[in-house]
Amino acid sequence: MTNTHNVNIQSKNFVLPLIIVGVMFFAIGFALGINSYIIPLLNTALDISSGESYLVIAATFSAFLIFGYPASLVIGKIGYKRTMALSFLMFALGFYLFIPSAQMESLPLFLVASFISGMGNTFLQASVNPYITILGPMESAAKRMSYMGIANKLAWPIAPLFLALIIGKDVENVSLTDINIPFYIIIGVFVLLGVLALLAKLPEVKAVGEDEDSDDVCLYAESKTSIWQFPHLLLGVLALFLYVGVETVSLGTLVDYATSLGLANAEYYAWIAPIGMVLGYICGAALIPKYLGQATALRICAVTALFGSLMVVFSPEEYSIYFIAFMALGCSLMWPALWPLAMTDLGKFTKTGSSLMVIAIVGGALIPTVYGFMKDVIGAQDAYWICVPCFLYILYYGLKGHKIRTK
C-alpha cells in the first residue's frame, strides 16, 4: 500500500486542500470569537459576575477534555473529511441552542449550547490540525500552520463585529433576544460548510510510519509500546495547554477589558490581538523553514509574549490594552511551532498523539476562567498576571523541552 503522505509530498499539489482547510480554520476562529461578544453581554443582561460569564469559554473548551480522544477514534473510523463534515453539524446544533437560551435568559442553557458547539470545535480541530501538519514535509509544517493561523485569527474579531452589525446596537444596550437573527444566519452558514466539507476533494493523508502496511518506518517510534514513552510529546501537550489558555485570554478578553476601561465601541478593540497574530503569521509564512527554525520561532515568540503581558500589567490603564497586541504577536507562531515539534517522530502513534494535543486545548477552559475570577478579586488589569508563568514554561519548551527523548 502506498503511503498517502509521501504521495502528497512528491506531487506538492497542496493548493486546493489548503484553501478548503483554510476555510475550516476560519470557521473555528469565528465560532470561538462569538464568545468575546457573549461574555460582556451575559455579564450585563443576566447581572452576573465576570467569573460566571467566563464560564461560557470554560464550557466551550471543556469539550476538548471529554471528546479529544473519541474524536481521534472517529477519524480512524470514517477519515478526516467525514469527521470535518460531522463537526459542522455539531456546531449548528450548539448555535441553535443559543436561541432558546436567550429567550429563557438561562445561563445553564447557554453553557450547554457552548459545550455542544465546543464538541464541534473539538472534532474539527482534531481533524484539521494533524491534517495540515502531515500534508507535506514536517520541516515546513509551521509554514502551513501559519497560513491557517491567518485565516483563523482574522475570524475572531469578525464574529463580534458581525453580531454588532446585524444587531445594530452597542453591546451595553443589547438584550439577549437580539442575538436570534444573527444566530439563524450563522446556523445556515455552518450547515452549508458541513455539506461543502463532505463534497470537498480532500485526499486522506497519513504520517510516515502511521500506516502499518507501508514500507516507511519511523525508527524512533518503532521501538515504543506506549504514547507515554514520548517525553517531547507530553511536555508539548502541557505547553499547548498553557498556550491555548493565554491565547484565549488575549483574544477573548479584549471586548470585556475595553468595557471595563469604559472605552466607547468596545467591540472595535477585538481587532487588537488578531492584528498582532496575523503579523506574526505572515512572518512565519515568509521565514519558516528557510530562515527560521520552528524551535527558534517558538523561543522568540515566548519572549515577545512575556514582554507584552508584563507591559499590560505595568502600563497606565489607557495604554495597557494596546500591549495585548504584543501578547498576541508572541502567541502567533506558538501553535504552528508546537504542533510539529510535539508530533515529530510519533509514527504509528500519530493519531493518539494528536488526540492528546487536542485534549490539551482544554487549557482554553481553565485559564480564561481563572482570569475572570481574578478580575473579580484584583481587577481586570492585574488579572493578566496569569499569563506570565505560562509564557515562561513555553519558553522552556522551546529551549529544551522539545529535545528530550527516550532511548
Side-chain angles (χ1 to χ4, degrees), residues 189-216:
V189 170
F190 271 71
V191 170
L192 178 61
L193 287 173
V195 175
L196 292 176
L198 193 60
L199 299 177
K201 294 183 178 180
L202 290 175
E204 288 295 328
V205 295
K206 295 180 184 294
V208 174
E210 183 180 357
D211 193 337
E212 293 181 358
D213 296 327
S214 171
D215 294 331
D216 296 298

Side-chain angles (χ1 to χ4, degrees), residues 73-133:
L73 299 179
V74 172
I75 293 169
K77 290 290 185 181
I78 67 175
Y80 287 106
K81 187 170 73 169
R82 291 187 180 90
T83 305
M84 293 172 192
L86 176 63
S87 69
F88 282 111
L89 296 181
M90 295 178 183
F91 269 125
L93 176 59
F95 292 145
Y96 173 76
L97 289 178
F98 273 94
I99 296 170
S101 302
Q103 293 170 338
M104 297 172 63
E105 297 186 350
S106 170
L107 177 61
L109 193 52
F110 267 109
L111 298 181
V112 172
S114 298
F115 179 78
I116 294 176
S117 65
M119 285 174 54
N121 211 322
T122 303
F123 278 79
L124 190 55
Q125 296 259 27
S127 307
V128 296
N129 283 294
Y131 187 90
I132 208 68
T133 300

Side-chain angles (χ1 to χ4, degrees), residues 103-174:
Q103 293 170 338
M104 297 172 63
E105 297 186 350
S106 170
L107 177 61
L109 193 52
F110 267 109
L111 298 181
V112 172
S114 298
F115 179 78
I116 294 176
S117 65
M119 285 174 54
N121 211 322
T122 303
F123 278 79
L124 190 55
Q125 296 259 27
S127 307
V128 296
N129 283 294
Y131 187 90
I132 208 68
T133 300
I134 60 181
L135 187 71
M138 189 61 76
E139 62 270 16
S140 62
K143 185 184 186 74
R144 295 189 296 278
M145 292 288 274
S146 293
Y147 288 127
M148 299 302 103
I150 292 172
N152 179 264
K153 295 312 179 294
L154 284 177
W156 272 78
I158 288 176
L161 288 176
F162 169 80
L163 290 168
L165 178 65
I166 299 299
I167 293 171
K169 301 177 184 177
D170 290 337
V171 67
E172 298 89 350
N173 302 317
V174 174

Side-chain angles (χ1 to χ4, degrees), residues 369-390:
T369 305
V370 173
Y371 167 88
F373 283 105
M374 287 176 64
K375 177 190 169 189
D376 289 330
V377 177
I378 62 176
Q381 186 174 10
D382 285 337
Y384 284 98
W385 270 113
I386 193 173
C387 300
V388 174
C390 300

Side-chain angles (χ1 to χ4, degrees), residues 1 9 14 32 34 44 115 122 126 132 166 173 211 255 314 333 337 349 354 369 375 391 398:
M1 182 175 178
I9 290 176
F14 302 144
L32 292 173
I34 288 172
T44 303
F115 179 78
T122 303
I132 208 68
I166 299 299
N173 302 317
D211 193 337
V255 177
F314 289 119
L333 298 184
F349 296 97
S354 174
T369 305
K375 177 190 169 189
F391 288 132

Side-chain angles (χ1 to χ4, degrees), residues 299-316:
R299 294 192 290 269
I300 293 171
C301 284
V303 172
T304 303
L306 270 171
F307 166 77
S309 55
L310 290 171
M311 290 302 292
V312 170
V313 173
F314 289 119
S315 296

